[in-house]
Amino acid sequence: MIHEIVDLMQAIPMFDKTAGSQLNVIAAHMNILKLEEKEQLFSEGEKSDYMCFVVSGKLEVIKRADSGKPVTVSTLTRGRSIGEMALLDTYPRSATVIAKTPCTLLIISREKFDNILEQYPAVGISFLKGVSEMLSLQLRKASGLLADAS
């Protein structure tokens, strides 16, 4: 199964510069999840302890507005990720995520991520750097959207 996961990781830009031996370590700590159309991945307010990478399909990210109305804030496709904050903090999910189409995802839990950091620090630091870069880009995009909305 590790070889299958390594093959699927080729769809994720974060892993483009990751050496083969490091990919094998990360893959050994990941699982594959398949979602059907309209299946919910997680719900806003739930406890969180894993992040996902989209290998195929489309995910819809929905945030509840102050009015209570659900608002689609993003659609994620191949190569994107969701739930990065769950590896770094213990706060509840900040949005609901539903499959718009059948999806294949790679998942890593906080526990497995922590195992990588303990057993393979260089791999863990590389992975953490990739997650940090993704979060930084998302924050830059969000702040740009907020500035444009003003």
Side-chain angles (χ1 to χ4, degrees):
M1 184 151 127
I2 292 174
H3 296 297
E4 181 182 359
I5 292 174
V6 169
D7 288 344
L8 294 174
M9 290 169 80
Q10 304 305 312
I12 315 301
M14 183 180 125
F15 301 116
D16 285 350
K17 297 175 187 170
T18 306
S21 60
Q22 290 187 339
L23 282 177
N24 287 332
V25 168
I26 297 167
H29 290 81
M30 292 182 127
N31 291 308
I32 299 169
L33 176 66
K34 299 205 180 246
L35 297 176
E36 298 299 323
E37 183 178 356
K38 298 184 182 176
E39 190 173 351
Q40 187 170 294
L41 177 61
F42 51 75
S43 180
E44 185 173 353
E46 282 181 354
K47 283 188 168 193
S48 60
D49 70 347
Y50 63 92
M51 74 171 288
C52 305
F53 297 94
V54 181
V55 175
S56 66
K58 289 183 183 180
L59 295 173
E60 184 174 39
V61 181
I62 302 164
K63 183 87 176 136
R64 201 160 286 287
D66 288 339
S67 65
K69 179 183 174 190
V71 177
T72 299
V73 293
S74 184
T75 300
L76 305 176
T77 56
R78 178 185 169 131
R80 300 286 306 275
S81 61
I82 188 76
E84 301 89 350
M85 292 183 289
L87 293 186
L88 308 174
D89 66 36
T90 58
Y91 293 104
R93 294 287 186 191
S94 61
T96 297
V97 177
I98 298 172
K100 285 185 81 165
T101 65
C103 293
T104 299
L105 309 173
L106 292 176
I107 293 184
I108 186 164
S109 70
R110 183 182 311 123
E111 178 183 6
K112 298 284 187 168
F113 173 66
D114 288 345
N115 288 343
I116 292 172
L117 282 171
E118 285 178 29
Q119 297 174 7
Y120 307 93
V123 177
I125 290 169
S126 176
F127 187 91
L128 183 57
K129 185 177 178 186
V131 169
S132 298
E133 287 173 2
M134 286 188 304
L135 286 171
S136 177
L137 288 172
Q138 290 171 17
L139 185 57
R140 288 176 188 277
K141 182 179 176 183
S143 62
L145 290 172
L146 285 172
D148 290 344
S150 299

